[in-house]
Amino acid sequence: MSGSWGFVDVASLVFLAFAVPVFLVLLRVPAPYGRHARSGWGPAVNPRAGWALMEAPAALVMPCWFLAGSGWEATTAMAFLLLWEFHYAYRAFVYPLTLPPGARRIPLIIVAFGFLFNVVNASLQGLALFAKTSPRDASWLVDPRFLVGTALFFGGLVLNRRSDATLRRLRVENDGYRIPEGGLFRYVSCPNYLGEIIEWLGWAVATWTLAGFAFAAWTAANLTPRALAHHRWYRERMADYPRDRRALIPWIL
Ligand code: NDP
């Protein structure tokens, strides 16, 4: 599959380029789910089914590329697959079950877009990592890029999951929205999104591929506008919302 190298690089650049208009559109039009749900976006589905359907391709497509590529020979390939599944096996098959029974329905258009994104992205990541004629040898596992990237990945993952758990507890105790407290919520409105962005930045550094950096950019392009919209929403509706709390990055944004 030596020819796929050129293709993956070009495809990653095109993918990266698409993140720019998506970012600009989302700054003006928040994705219509959760607290930003509104009429006019078509039919909506059960949120548990919606999240599972949207995220399952990422969890399932990656192992296919792993099996089709050089996975069995390379320890590094196994490490990349494990990192990926640490996130996506949870997101696709566990996270939907943690949603509270009264969680809002999710528009089908969001599910369709998420599904498509995950098929394309997991294929790009899989091709970049596993469809190489000379896979990274085991020395990559002690390369500073892999070590720093993996540390960022798990740091982001812990922040993301802990913050999501705080939000979940709020919802269990109360029907509506309340001011989240504790942890990084002291400083920002959306530490769950900050954790997710750090996680995929870590992935980009650990894998050191253009595809990995394109995915990290997409995550930031998607979640930064959503964090700004959440922050605005809190400030407009909650008179006692802490004034010194920022949207996404402590003291900065
Ligand atoms: P939100 O923070 O909008 O909501 C998470 C859950 O917590 C929802 O059930 C929400 O209810 C509830 N909730 C949020 N704030 C409050 C509050 N103040 N009081 C009570 N309940 C609250 O996250 P998303 O749904 O956008 O994302 C969920 C996960 O998916 C996150 O971990 C995120 O990082 C990840 N994600 C990743 C993306 C990527 O590009 N990689 C894209 C989108 C999400 P309700 O739904 O009713 O608002």
Side-chain angles (χ1 to χ4, degrees):
M1 293 206 197
S2 55
S4 65
W5 250 131
F7 166 76
V8 175
D9 284 342
V10 173
S12 299
L13 278 179
V14 172
F15 188 55
L16 179 61
F18 269 105
V20 177
V22 165
F23 173 72
L24 295 174
V25 169
L26 288 176
L27 277 179
R28 298 183 66 91
V29 186
Y33 71 93
R35 77 190 65 187
H36 305 292
R38 48 210 185 268
S39 58
W41 290 88
V45 298
N46 173 289
R48 291 184 174 179
W51 273 97
L53 189 63
M54 193 160 63
E55 305 293 333
L60 301 175
V61 165
M62 193 68 140
C64 296
W65 288 113
F66 172 79
L67 293 174
S70 54
W72 299 115
E73 296 97 58
T75 324
T76 44
M78 179 74 88
F80 292 142
L81 181 68
L82 279 176
L83 283 185
W84 183 265
E85 293 299 340
F86 246 103
H87 178 91
Y88 273 114
Y90 170 83
R91 179 69 80 216
F93 306 119
V94 180
Y95 177 76
L97 300 176
T98 69
L99 291 173
R104 288 165 191 263
R105 293 168 73 78
I106 181 164
L108 199 53
I109 191 168
I110 295 283
V111 176
F113 182 78
F115 183 95
L116 182 68
F117 174 85
N118 280 316
V119 170
V120 171
N121 184 44
S123 296
L124 260 189
Q125 307 302 318
L127 279 168
L129 291 172
F130 307 136
K132 294 160 80 177
T133 44
S134 51
R136 303 239 175 89
D137 61 41
S139 66
W140 182 256
L141 300 180
V142 289
D143 187 286
R145 285 165 291 186
F146 182 80
L147 297 174
V148 170
T150 302
L152 281 174
F153 181 89
F154 281 110
L157 183 142
V158 169
L159 175 60
N160 174 261
R161 289 197 192 169
R162 287 181 60 136
S163 310
D164 273 347
T166 300
L167 294 174
R168 208 160 38 238
R169 279 195 298 275
L170 281 186
R171 184 47 59 86
V172 166
E173 292 163 9
N174 181 287
D175 278 349
Y177 292 96
R178 284 199 308 172
I179 300 177
E181 304 285 356
L184 227 63
F185 283 106
R186 275 193 289 272
Y187 304 100
V188 293
S189 296
C190 301
N192 53 341
Y193 295 161
L194 178 62
E196 182 104 20
I197 292 169
I198 293 172
E199 206 178 326
W200 295 114
L201 179 64
W203 169 261
V205 174
T207 57
W208 209 252
T209 60
L210 197 49
F213 281 98
F215 180 26
W218 257 93
T219 306
N222 189 8
L223 294 182
T224 304
R226 193 163 176 80
L228 293 171
H230 273 27
H231 189 63
R232 256 192 328 269
W233 187 97
Y234 280 123
R235 290 175 72 130
E236 284 167 7
R237 285 167 180 77
M238 296 178 169
D240 51 346
Y241 198 71
R243 302 312 291 175
D244 52 352
R245 199 177 283 190
R246 309 305 295 257
L248 184 67
I249 304 174
W251 306 292
I252 297 174
L253 180 71

PDB file of all heavy atoms in Angstrom, residues 43-58:
ATOM      1  N   PRO A  43     -36.504  15.589  12.176  1.00  0.00           N
ATOM      2  CA  PRO A  43     -36.843  14.632  13.232  1.00  0.00           C
ATOM      3  C   PRO A  43     -35.666  14.384  14.174  1.00  0.00           C
ATOM      4  O   PRO A  43     -34.503  14.530  13.780  1.00  0.00           O
ATOM      5  CB  PRO A  43     -37.187  13.354  12.449  1.00  0.00           C
ATOM      6  CG  PRO A  43     -36.569  13.530  11.103  1.00  0.00           C
ATOM      7  CD  PRO A  43     -36.489  14.999  10.842  1.00  0.00           C
ATOM      8  N   ALA A  44     -36.018  13.999  15.412  1.00  0.00           N
ATOM      9  CA  ALA A  44     -34.982  13.714  16.406  1.00  0.00           C
ATOM     10  C   ALA A  44     -35.155  12.284  16.910  1.00  0.00           C
ATOM     11  O   ALA A  44     -36.243  11.722  16.840  1.00  0.00           O
ATOM     12  CB  ALA A  44     -35.101  14.704  17.557  1.00  0.00           C
ATOM     13  N   VAL A  45     -34.054  11.693  17.391  1.00  0.00           N
ATOM     14  CA  VAL A  45     -34.104  10.289  17.815  1.00  0.00           C
ATOM     15  C   VAL A  45     -33.738  10.176  19.293  1.00  0.00           C
ATOM     16  O   VAL A  45     -33.183  11.115  19.884  1.00  0.00           O
ATOM     17  CB  VAL A  45     -33.156   9.405  16.968  1.00  0.00           C
ATOM     18  CG1 VAL A  45     -33.562   9.430  15.510  1.00  0.00           C
ATOM     19  CG2 VAL A  45     -31.701   9.859  17.128  1.00  0.00           C
ATOM     20  N   ASN A  46     -34.007   9.011  19.842  1.00  0.00           N
ATOM     21  CA  ASN A  46     -33.624   8.705  21.218  1.00  0.00           C
ATOM     22  C   ASN A  46     -32.124   8.991  21.402  1.00  0.00           C
ATOM     23  O   ASN A  46     -31.303   8.558  20.592  1.00  0.00           O
ATOM     24  CB  ASN A  46     -33.929   7.210  21.441  1.00  0.00           C
ATOM     25  CG  ASN A  46     -33.433   6.722  22.780  1.00  0.00           C
ATOM     26  OD1 ASN A  46     -32.237   6.598  22.989  1.00  0.00           O
ATOM     27  ND2 ASN A  46     -34.357   6.475  23.674  1.00  0.00           N
ATOM     28  N   PRO A  47     -31.736   9.730  22.463  1.00  0.00           N
ATOM     29  CA  PRO A  47     -30.344  10.157  22.576  1.00  0.00           C
ATOM     30  C   PRO A  47     -29.353   9.002  22.750  1.00  0.00           C
ATOM     31  O   PRO A  47     -28.231   9.060  22.232  1.00  0.00           O
ATOM     32  CB  PRO A  47     -30.346  11.072  23.809  1.00  0.00           C
ATOM     33  CG  PRO A  47     -31.592  10.739  24.550  1.00  0.00           C
ATOM     34  CD  PRO A  47     -32.578  10.259  23.552  1.00  0.00           C
ATOM     35  N   ARG A  48     -29.772   7.956  23.464  1.00  0.00           N
ATOM     36  CA  ARG A  48     -28.852   6.816  23.648  1.00  0.00           C
ATOM     37  C   ARG A  48     -28.555   6.145  22.312  1.00  0.00           C
ATOM     38  O   ARG A  48     -27.414   5.877  21.969  1.00  0.00           O
ATOM     39  CB  ARG A  48     -29.456   5.800  24.607  1.00  0.00           C
ATOM     40  CG  ARG A  48     -29.515   6.336  26.011  1.00  0.00           C
ATOM     41  CD  ARG A  48     -30.017   5.301  26.976  1.00  0.00           C
ATOM     42  NE  ARG A  48     -29.912   5.833  28.326  1.00  0.00           N
ATOM     43  CZ  ARG A  48     -30.276   5.203  29.407  1.00  0.00           C
ATOM     44  NH1 ARG A  48     -30.780   3.998  29.314  1.00  0.00           N
ATOM     45  NH2 ARG A  48     -30.141   5.766  30.587  1.00  0.00           N
ATOM     46  N   ALA A  49     -29.631   5.900  21.545  1.00  0.00           N
ATOM     47  CA  ALA A  49     -29.441   5.276  20.229  1.00  0.00           C
ATOM     48  C   ALA A  49     -28.645   6.216  19.330  1.00  0.00           C
ATOM     49  O   ALA A  49     -27.753   5.790  18.583  1.00  0.00           O
ATOM     50  CB  ALA A  49     -30.796   4.965  19.612  1.00  0.00           C
ATOM     51  N   GLY A  50     -28.967   7.508  19.399  1.00  0.00           N
ATOM     52  CA  GLY A  50     -28.296   8.489  18.542  1.00  0.00           C
ATOM     53  C   GLY A  50     -26.796   8.524  18.801  1.00  0.00           C
ATOM     54  O   GLY A  50     -25.989   8.455  17.867  1.00  0.00           O
ATOM     55  N   TRP A  51     -26.415   8.615  20.089  1.00  0.00           N
ATOM     56  CA  TRP A  51     -24.973   8.676  20.406  1.00  0.00           C
ATOM     57  C   TRP A  51     -24.268   7.387  19.983  1.00  0.00           C
ATOM     58  O   TRP A  51     -23.165   7.417  19.432  1.00  0.00           O
ATOM     59  CB  TRP A  51     -24.754   8.939  21.902  1.00  0.00           C
ATOM     60  CG  TRP A  51     -24.749  10.396  22.229  1.00  0.00           C
ATOM     61  CD1 TRP A  51     -25.812  11.122  22.692  1.00  0.00           C
ATOM     62  CD2 TRP A  51     -23.657  11.326  22.102  1.00  0.00           C
ATOM     63  NE1 TRP A  51     -25.450  12.434  22.858  1.00  0.00           N
ATOM     64  CE2 TRP A  51     -24.138  12.594  22.522  1.00  0.00           C
ATOM     65  CE3 TRP A  51     -22.336  11.212  21.689  1.00  0.00           C
ATOM     66  CZ2 TRP A  51     -23.347  13.732  22.519  1.00  0.00           C
ATOM     67  CZ3 TRP A  51     -21.538  12.344  21.704  1.00  0.00           C
ATOM     68  CH2 TRP A  51     -22.032  13.591  22.105  1.00  0.00           C
ATOM     69  N   ALA A  52     -24.906   6.236  20.250  1.00  0.00           N
ATOM     70  CA  ALA A  52     -24.265   4.960  19.903  1.00  0.00           C
ATOM     71  C   ALA A  52     -24.083   4.851  18.387  1.00  0.00           C
ATOM     72  O   ALA A  52     -23.014   4.478  17.895  1.00  0.00           O
ATOM     73  CB  ALA A  52     -25.105   3.796  20.420  1.00  0.00           C
ATOM     74  N   LEU A  53     -25.124   5.235  17.651  1.00  0.00           N
ATOM     75  CA  LEU A  53     -25.063   5.135  16.188  1.00  0.00           C
ATOM     76  C   LEU A  53     -24.001   6.077  15.609  1.00  0.00           C
ATOM     77  O   LEU A  53     -23.267   5.732  14.685  1.00  0.00           O
ATOM     78  CB  LEU A  53     -26.443   5.492  15.630  1.00  0.00           C
ATOM     79  CG  LEU A  53     -26.671   5.240  14.149  1.00  0.00           C
ATOM     80  CD1 LEU A  53     -26.540   3.747  13.862  1.00  0.00           C
ATOM     81  CD2 LEU A  53     -28.076   5.706  13.753  1.00  0.00           C
ATOM     82  N   MET A  54     -23.910   7.244  16.217  1.00  0.00           N
ATOM     83  CA  MET A  54     -22.989   8.263  15.727  1.00  0.00           C
ATOM     84  C   MET A  54     -21.530   7.863  15.978  1.00  0.00           C
ATOM     85  O   MET A  54     -20.655   8.084  15.150  1.00  0.00           O
ATOM     86  CB  MET A  54     -23.336   9.537  16.514  1.00  0.00           C
ATOM     87  CG  MET A  54     -22.772  10.790  16.040  1.00  0.00           C
ATOM     88  SD  MET A  54     -23.734  12.177  16.698  1.00  0.00           S
ATOM     89  CE  MET A  54     -23.552  12.099  18.465  1.00  0.00           C
ATOM     90  N   GLU A  55     -21.266   7.265  17.129  1.00  0.00           N
ATOM     91  CA  GLU A  55     -19.875   7.010  17.537  1.00  0.00           C
ATOM     92  C   GLU A  55     -19.396   5.596  17.213  1.00  0.00           C
ATOM     93  O   GLU A  55     -18.183   5.355  17.135  1.00  0.00           O
ATOM     94  CB  GLU A  55     -19.717   7.259  19.046  1.00  0.00           C
ATOM     95  CG  GLU A  55     -20.155   8.647  19.507  1.00  0.00           C
ATOM     96  CD  GLU A  55     -19.260   9.771  18.970  1.00  0.00           C
ATOM     97  OE1 GLU A  55     -18.074   9.513  18.696  1.00  0.00           O
ATOM     98  OE2 GLU A  55     -19.754  10.906  18.810  1.00  0.00           O
ATOM     99  N   ALA A  56     -20.325   4.658  17.020  1.00  0.00           N
ATOM    100  CA  ALA A  56     -19.910   3.273  16.773  1.00  0.00           C
ATOM    101  C   ALA A  56     -18.978   3.126  15.565  1.00  0.00           C
ATOM    102  O   ALA A  56     -18.027   2.332  15.618  1.00  0.00           O
ATOM    103  CB  ALA A  56     -21.132   2.371  16.622  1.00  0.00           C
ATOM    104  N   PRO A  57     -19.192   3.878  14.459  1.00  0.00           N
ATOM    105  CA  PRO A  57     -18.278   3.691  13.322  1.00  0.00           C
ATOM    106  C   PRO A  57     -16.822   3.930  13.703  1.00  0.00           C
ATOM    107  O   PRO A  57     -15.926   3.213  13.232  1.00  0.00           O
ATOM    108  CB  PRO A  57     -18.745   4.746  12.311  1.00  0.00           C
ATOM    109  CG  PRO A  57     -20.131   5.056  12.678  1.00  0.00           C
ATOM    110  CD  PRO A  57     -20.267   4.834  14.148  1.00  0.00           C
ATOM    111  N   ALA A  58     -16.583   4.903  14.580  1.00  0.00           N
ATOM    112  CA  ALA A  58     -15.191   5.179  14.957  1.00  0.00           C
ATOM    113  C   ALA A  58     -14.598   3.981  15.690  1.00  0.00           C
ATOM    114  O   ALA A  58     -13.437   3.598  15.463  1.00  0.00           O
ATOM    115  CB  ALA A  58     -15.123   6.424  15.838  1.00  0.00           C
TER     116      ALA A  58
END
